[in-house]
Structure formats: C-alpha cells, structure tokens
C-alpha cells in the first residue's frame, strides 16, 4: 500500500513539474534568489492584491460573461477575445459542478468611449468570490485591463481548471506606456504588428508609437502625395496603404491602445526626396550640388527651410495625416538634424545672411522648428518631439511634449549597462516646464548577453529629481525598437519579454522593485506569451511545459496568424500554473 502511494505521488509530482514553467540557475553555485511563491501574481503587478490559495473550479466553456454595457464594441470584442483564450484551457471535467459560473463587468460611467486617450481612466477592481468574478471599473478601458488580469489567474491541475480567491485593486502609475516600432529601416508585416499589439495589451502597454518613415524608406501611402511611397518605399509591396493603417488603428483601439504616428523632419528625410526632391537641401561637394561625402553627408538628407513650398507641402501632408490617425497626438520627430548638408550649401548661406542669422545653424534649425510646429499645431493635435531642438537652444511652447532619448555615455558603446546620464537631460526638459516621455534607458534594439531585462526593469522615469512638481511632468515612457537590424523574422523575439519589464515599471507602483522575485513572474509571463502565440525569448535556463518541443511549428504559425487566432500548439498551455498552488493540491 505504501509503495503504491509513493508511486502515485511520484507520478503526480512529475505531472506537476511537467505542467509548470520553470526557470533555473545559470550555474549550480548561483542559485536563484527571490520569492518563487509569487510567480502566479499577474504581470504587471497590480497596485494592491490579496489571495486565498483555496482554489475555485471553473469550466471555461460554460463561463458566462455579463456586462452592463449593451452593444459596446470595445466590451463585446474583449469578451469574445477572452472567452476564446479561456476556452483553450484544458478542462477534462466539464460535467462536474463549477464553482465560478459568471464574470460580471460593471462600467460605472455607462459610456462606451470610442477612442483611448491620454489620461483615460484604466483603474479597476477584481474579486473572485462565490460563483462570480466581479470586475468594476469607471470606463471601458479599465474593463479591458481587468479582463486581462482575470485571464492570467486560471491554471490547470489534473485536468481541472482552477482559480484562487483574489481581491485586486489596480491602477497604472503612468498614463503613457508606449512601444515605438520602426517600419522604415525594415518593413514589418501587418500580422507581426497585430501580434505585437496583442502582446502589448497582455502586458498593459497602451501606446503604439509608429515611427513609420525615415531616411531609408517611405512606406506610408499618401493620397495627397502618392509619389512619396511610389518612389520612396522599398517596393510596391513594402507599403502601408490607407486601409492597412486603418486596420492597425482599429485593432489597437479595441485593445485600448493609442496609435501615434511619427513623421520625422527636418533630418532623416532622404526617402522623402526620392518622390519630391525639391523638399530637400542639396548637399554640396567640390563646388557642385547633390554630392555625397562618405562619412560626412549624403546627397540630400535635410529638409530645405529656405523654400516656402517646403512648408506648404508639410501643411498639406499633415492635414491628411491628422485625418488618417485618430489620436490627439502627432510625433514630429526633429531629432538629429545634422547640419553638414546645410553647412555645405551656398543657398543656405545666402538665406542665413538675408535673415540675419549668420553662421548659427542652430538658429536655422529654430527657424524650421518654429514654422513646422506651428503647422502641426494647426491640425488641432498636440505634438511630441524628440529632445534635440531643446538641446540645440530652441525654445518650444510648453504644450509640446518632449521625448528624452539621449544618455551621457560613449555613443560607440552600445552596452545596455551603460545607461546612466539620461537624468541630466530629463532635468533640463523639466526646467523648461515641458511634459516629457522617457525612452533613454529602454532601447530594446541594444542587446547584451544575459539577463538584460534587469537593466530595463531598474530604470525609474522619475529618478532624475526629488521635486514632486518636476516628477509630475513625466507622462510615462516608451520602449523603442529601432530596426536597422530587426525585421519580421526577429522583431517579436527581441521585443518580448524584455518590453514586459518596461511595462511593469510604467504600470506598477514605484516601490515594486524586487527584480529577483520579478524574475519568476516574468518567466511565467514569458511562457504565457509563448502559449498565446508570441515567440518571446527566454530569460534564463528552464522550460515551459511541453510547449518548447513544438516551438518551430508554433513560431511559423505565429508569423502567419492574424486577428485573435491562437495556434492549437499553444492551446493546452495558455496559462502558467503556479507551483506552490499545485504542490498545495498534491500534498493536502
């Protein structure tokens, strides 16, 4: 009898560990620190939570969702998505009685808001008790965040789906929690962008900063100026047509994600000139225009500020852009307006003399910046710029939001450990009274061997000052994935789960800083992303149940999937079972 008991116990324990996602030490002499028992706490960590490990059973196929918001597309679409995700859980006992029977969503405002926006209310409370899960929120956007948290709570155990008793009250620390994608250095297929938007909402990021064009290519198809993409895109298939852009915006909207486009000028504009060469300042060499000097300047790369036609063009293009992109913000770029082409041009020299700005090219930049920002403000949108004009002495209106991206470091050293010094730049922006977004320490395109997510997790966007008034100027931050060496084949792997570390820093309270414990939770979230079709990279040795065996097939399916489709390879491993709960079931 005893022998049979221990054999049975061994089989159960093996099954438990096979079902669990398990990270391990790098070497035996380096055991993992932190509290593994918190691995089931949702990601990002809620503002306030408590749990009772006594499990409730639920049958996903019979779980009923009810909302007080009738015919609200944001809520209806979310319920459909999360019902589908939950249905993928393996439930071998559908005939037994379920403890949890209903998810009750109450939106107190009773307003079906159409578009997400800065400062939207994303707070929610969640409780699992009796036969109900209750999610109470003031807006539909809070309901989305509450549904995501609920979807992370169920786990599988011995063919049953169970949920602990949770009480959660949650709110974001910052209203702007973004991710910048670069579709000019390499084109990103729509399926990859959509899967990335899924991962963003599963991590509670809420802004897609779309750096849609740059010097290398102009993939945005303009109805007003079709020659821009006609000659400036990589090819006719490497473009985003108006219907493609609308599809991305709508997909993001239903997930509570804003889409902010960036059209970067006056620099980074080489591709613009392929379709409209008159926009750019010809670069001169050896007394002739349109001459490149390797290592110094291209044939043409900066907008020409001497022509009124340049600003008439910007006005017409921005009028189109403001109608295509529905968010209240536009990103005007304005970084790295290198002066070499302006300095080489006799036309620029003549213009500067006529306007009494001599050889001060920063004043020429100020001239361009002022006129361009006036044009963008004329669209009725609020404007974001990179920090460079302020660094160069330009004064901008306090309504302009400044994105801080620089660090005081050796720019030839791309080691993400060298991430100090951005606080200096943030303090300068704060002294001007402008609101700001921090991205300096979250350049995910910089990759180092090891647990580099820890460097991203350690960055606090308010650490540049102790002054509450200056801290209040920080709207939040953005992870950035510049795409010189990134395309659809590796974008998702490099982005996730490293971007999730940024997401927790921007969502969770400032005191949530225990990286050793976060490692267990991030590993659980990484496995969750894998099982939902995102090929997220590992953070340490270990495994994610049996999923890893089918990773190649799953990755290929993830690249071709669209909408809310989740591959069958991921179906049985949707939610990561917390180890301490499984052991509780085994040994009690």
């Amino acid at each position: 009898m005893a022998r049979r008991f221990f054999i049975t116990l061994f089989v159960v324990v093996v099954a438990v560990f096979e079902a669990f996602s398990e990270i391990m030490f790098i070497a035996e002499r380096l055991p993992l620190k932190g509290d593994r028992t918190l691995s089931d706490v949702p990601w990002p960590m809620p503002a306030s939570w408590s749990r009772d490990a006594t499990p409730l059973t639920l049958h996903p196929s019979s779980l009923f969702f009810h909302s007080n918001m009738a015919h609200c597309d944001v809520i209806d679409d979310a319920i459909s998505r999360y019902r589908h995700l939950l249905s993928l859980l393996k439930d071998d006992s559908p005939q037994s009685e379920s403890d949890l029977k209903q998810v009750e969503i109450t939106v107190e405002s009773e307003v079906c808001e159409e578009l997400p926006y800065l400062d939207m209310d994303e707070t929610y409370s969640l409780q699992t008790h009796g036969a109900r899960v209750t999610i109470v929120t003031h807006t539909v956007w809070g309901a989305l965040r509450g549904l995501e948290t609920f979807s992370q709570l169920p786990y599988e155990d011995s063919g049953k789906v169970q949920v602990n008793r949770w009480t959660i009250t949650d709110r974001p620390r910052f209203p702007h929690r973004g991710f910048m994608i670069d579709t000019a250095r390499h084109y990103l297929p729509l399926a990859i962008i959509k899967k990335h938007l899924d991962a963003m909402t599963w991590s509670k990021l809420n802004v897609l900063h779309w750096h849609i064009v740059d010097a290398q290519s102009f993939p945005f198809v303009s109805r007003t100026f079709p020659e821009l993409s006609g000659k400036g895109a990589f090819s006719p298939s490497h473009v985003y047509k108006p219907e493609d852009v609308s599809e991305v915006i709508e997909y993001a909207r239903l997930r509570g994600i804003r889409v902010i486009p960036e059209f970067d000028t006056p620099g980074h504009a080489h591709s613009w000139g392929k379709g409209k060469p008159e926009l750019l300042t010809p670069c001169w060499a050896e007394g002739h225009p349109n001459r490149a000097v390797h290592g110094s300047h291209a044939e043409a790369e900066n907008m020409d500020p001497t022509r009124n036609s340049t600003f008439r063009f910007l006005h017409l293009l921005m009028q189109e852009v403001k109608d295509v992109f529905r968010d209240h913000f536009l990103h005007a770029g304005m970084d790295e307006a290198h002066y070499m082409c302006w300095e080489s041009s006799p036309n620029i020299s003549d213009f500067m003399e006529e306007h009494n700005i001599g050889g001060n090219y920063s004043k020429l930049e100020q001239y361009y910046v002022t006129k361009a920002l006036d044009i963008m403000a004329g669209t009725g949108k609020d404007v974001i710029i990179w920090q460079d004009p302020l660094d160069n002495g330009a004064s901008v209106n306090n309504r302009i939001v400044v994105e801080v991206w620089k660090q005081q470091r050796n720019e030839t050293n791309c080691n993400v450990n060298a991430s100090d010094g951005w606080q200096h730049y943030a303090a300068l922006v704060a002294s001007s009274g402008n609101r700001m977004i921090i991205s300096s320490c979250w350049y995910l395109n910089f990759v180092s061997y090891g647990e580099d997510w820890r460097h991203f997790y350690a960055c606090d966007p308010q650490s540049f000052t102790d002054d509450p008034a200056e801290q209040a100027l920080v709207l939040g931050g953005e992870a950035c994935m510049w795409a010189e060496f990134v395309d659809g084949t590796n974008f998702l792997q490099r982005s996730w789960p490293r971007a999730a570390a940024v997401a927790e820093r921007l969502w969770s309270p400032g005191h949530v800083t225990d990286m050793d414990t976060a490692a267990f939770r991030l590993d659980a979230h990484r496995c969750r992303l894998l099982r939902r079709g995102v090929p997220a990279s590992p953070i340490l040795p270990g495994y994610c149940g049996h999923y890893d065996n089918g990773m190649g097939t799953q990755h290929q399916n993830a690249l071709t999937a669209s909408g809310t489709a989740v591959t069958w390879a991921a179906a049985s491993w949707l939610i990561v079972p917390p180890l301490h709960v499984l052991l509780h079931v085994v040994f009690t």
Side-chain angles (χ1 to χ4, degrees), residues 72-74 111-121 139-141 144-145 206 246 248-259 322-329 381:
C72 177
D73 61 348
V74 174
V111 176
C112 184
E113 294 182 321
E114 182 182 6
L115 289 174
Y117 52 91
L118 182 68
D119 292 325
M120 60 184 171
D121 189 345
T139 70
V140 294
W141 316 116
L144 296 184
R145 310 309 175 221
N206 68 352
S246 296
V248 169
I249 292 171
E250 178 65 5
Y251 196 89
R253 178 186 77 87
L254 291 172
R255 287 153 181 78
I257 297 174
R258 303 160 54 207
V259 179
K322 65 104 172 171
D323 291 333
V324 172
F325 290 90
R326 303 169 67 186
D327 195 77
H328 195 62
F329 280 81
K381 305 277 192 180

Side-chain angles (χ1 to χ4, degrees), residues 493-539:
Q493 295 94 323
R494 286 203 181 178
S495 299
W496 301 99
R498 298 154 85 228
V502 182
E504 178 150 295
R505 181 54 53 240
L506 294 172
W507 177 280
S508 301
H511 62 77
V512 178
T513 58
D514 182 353
M515 280 188 281
D516 292 327
T517 295
F520 296 112
R521 298 174 43 252
L522 183 59
D523 178 62
H525 190 59
R526 179 252 173 175
C527 289
R528 184 181 301 117
L529 292 172
L530 284 177
R531 291 152 193 157
R532 294 183 179 188
V534 179
S537 298
I539 65 170

Side-chain angles (χ1 to χ4, degrees), residues 111-357:
V111 176
C112 184
E113 294 182 321
E114 182 182 6
L115 289 174
Y117 52 91
L118 182 68
D119 292 325
M120 60 184 171
D121 189 345
E122 298 171 273
T123 62
Y124 68 92
S125 62
L126 181 152
Q127 191 170 15
T128 57
H129 57 93
R132 292 191 304 164
V133 177
T134 59
I135 298 173
V136 179
T137 178
H138 187 66
T139 70
V140 294
W141 316 116
L144 296 184
R145 310 309 175 221
L147 280 167
E148 172 54 35
T149 294
F150 170 65
S151 77
Q152 297 186 19
L153 302 180
Y155 58 92
E156 298 170 354
D157 175 43
S158 302
K160 296 180 180 180
V161 179
Q162 297 183 330
V163 180
N164 290 338
R165 301 171 191 267
W166 289 84
T167 298
I168 295 173
T169 302
D170 202 8
R171 69 191 65 81
R173 183 183 177 194
F174 295 102
H176 186 111
R177 308 181 305 281
F179 192 110
M180 191 221 72
I181 63 172
D182 171 8
T183 57
R185 277 56 181 264
H186 282 100
Y187 178 84
L188 286 178
L190 288 184
I192 297 295
I193 295 176
K194 286 182 175 182
K195 184 56 65 177
H196 180 62
L197 288 167
D198 286 334
M200 286 178 62
T201 196
W202 295 335
S203 304
K204 298 188 174 73
L205 292 174
N206 68 352
V207 178
L208 182 73
H209 170 182
W210 194 349
H211 187 89
I212 194 167
V213 301
D214 208 289
Q216 290 81 0
S217 74
F218 197 106
F220 174 76
V221 176
S222 166
R223 289 190 172 102
T224 309
F225 302 105
E227 64 271 31
L228 291 171
S229 61
K231 295 182 178 180
F234 290 136
S235 80
S237 64
H238 291 82
V239 297
Y240 301 103
K241 301 185 290 295
E243 55 268 30
D244 298 327
V245 174
S246 296
E247 187 175 340
V248 169
I249 292 171
E250 178 65 5
Y251 196 89
R253 178 186 77 87
L254 291 172
R255 287 153 181 78
I257 297 174
R258 303 160 54 207
V259 179
I260 299 177
E262 180 187 348
F263 288 83
D264 195 1
T265 68
H268 292 276
H270 182 76
S271 68
W272 302 53
K274 293 181 179 179
K276 295 189 72 66
E278 68 274 13
L279 290 174
L280 303 187
T281 300
C283 305
W284 287 62
E286 299 177 353
H288 298 282
N290 297 310
R291 295 292 180 91
V293 177
H294 183 72
S296 177
H297 59 69
E299 293 182 359
E301 57 182 273
N302 274 12
M303 289 284 190
D304 189 341
T306 71
R307 295 172 176 259
N308 289 330
S309 58
T310 300
F311 299 105
R312 287 196 295 270
F313 162 83
L314 277 178
H315 170 76
L316 292 174
L317 180 63
M318 289 303 108
Q319 288 298 317
E320 177 183 3
V321 167
K322 65 104 172 171
D323 291 333
V324 172
F325 290 90
R326 303 169 67 186
D327 195 77
H328 195 62
F329 280 81
L330 293 175
H331 202 302
M334 298 191 173
D335 65 315
E336 297 181 323
H338 298 304
Y339 298 156
M340 292 86 74
C341 283
W342 286 347
E343 291 170 343
S344 73
S345 169
N347 298 333
I348 292 292
S349 298
D350 292 344
F351 178 85
M352 293 174 70
E353 278 192 29
E354 292 171 8
H355 289 76
N356 298 316
I357 54 180

Side-chain angles (χ1 to χ4, degrees), residues 381-407:
K381 305 277 192 180
D382 287 329
V383 181
I384 305 170
I385 63 173
W386 299 106
Q387 69 183 78
D388 301 53
L390 275 73
D391 293 344
N392 296 335
S395 59
V396 298
N397 190 295
N398 279 354
R399 285 183 59 85
I400 303 298
V401 176
V402 178
E403 184 158 4
V404 178
W405 69 272
K406 293 182 180 179
Q407 300 170 0

